[in-house]
Amino acid sequence: MKKTLILFFIVFTPLFFFSQKKNPDTIYIQFDYTKDRHHEKKNEINFFEICIDNKRYVHFQYGTSKTKTIKSFDNKVMNRTNLSAFIKNDSGEKNVKYIIVKKLKNNYNLYDADHIFRTIRD
């Protein structure tokens, strides 16, 4: 009995201490002032309508959360063709974090969009 208990702790203890939560995949989407729309009102649920395929819009909500402002942005932005294919195969079970990048003068605003509220409008 004692050997079984010791063996149990030796086998399962590393699983508890060294297991890590999987970080979500992060997709950066560049806001296009000519095609996309940003609906923003104080104390309301705010959202973006991102145009993909030149006629289809994807609705990204970010609620009333604050935005992050940075001076330089060096991360890779997903193009609209790849975004369209990714969203077509996306599901609620995937751990994906969407960030909308909007350039204002010399700064970049990062909006953490929630994929749970996403709807597609044709």
Side-chain angles (χ1 to χ4, degrees):
M1 176 70 176
K2 198 173 187 181
K3 288 182 181 181
T4 307
L5 190 59
I6 292 172
L7 184 63
F8 176 79
F9 282 115
I10 290 172
V11 171
F12 289 107
T13 301
L15 295 176
F16 293 113
F17 288 114
F18 299 111
S19 66
Q20 296 177 356
K21 188 177 180 181
K22 183 182 176 191
N23 289 334
D25 295 329
T26 304
I27 295 177
Y28 294 96
I29 304 167
Q30 181 71 43
F31 182 79
D32 185 354
Y33 282 94
T34 59
K35 297 178 183 178
D36 303 333
R37 290 174 259 186
H38 184 192
H39 300 278
E40 184 175 32
K41 290 186 178 178
K42 190 174 183 178
N43 296 328
E44 289 187 15
I45 295 177
N46 303 309
F47 61 94
F48 287 96
E49 287 181 343
I50 303 295
C51 181
I52 56 176
D53 299 335
N54 293 324
K55 62 181 178 180
R56 207 168 80 176
Y57 284 85
V58 180
H59 192 94
F60 289 94
Q61 290 182 329
Y62 64 94
T64 58
S65 64
K66 295 181 181 179
T67 61
K68 183 178 178 183
T69 303
I70 57 175
K71 292 283 183 187
S72 65
F73 181 76
D74 298 329
N75 296 353
K76 185 177 179 183
V77 176
M78 183 176 276
N79 66 31
R80 300 300 168 102
T81 306
N82 291 343
L83 179 63
S84 176
F86 187 84
I87 288 175
K88 185 177 180 181
N89 297 322
D90 195 15
S91 68
E93 291 91 32
K94 292 185 179 179
N95 194 9
V96 179
K97 182 178 181 181
Y98 296 99
I99 296 180
I100 311 293
V101 180
K102 188 175 181 182
K103 184 173 182 178
L104 297 170
K105 297 183 182 177
N106 295 331
N107 295 327
Y108 292 91
N109 286 349
L110 305 178
Y111 298 87
D112 189 5
D114 195 347
H115 75 283
I116 294 172
F117 298 116
R118 188 181 68 244
T119 57
I120 298 177
R121 173 175 63 86
D122 287 89

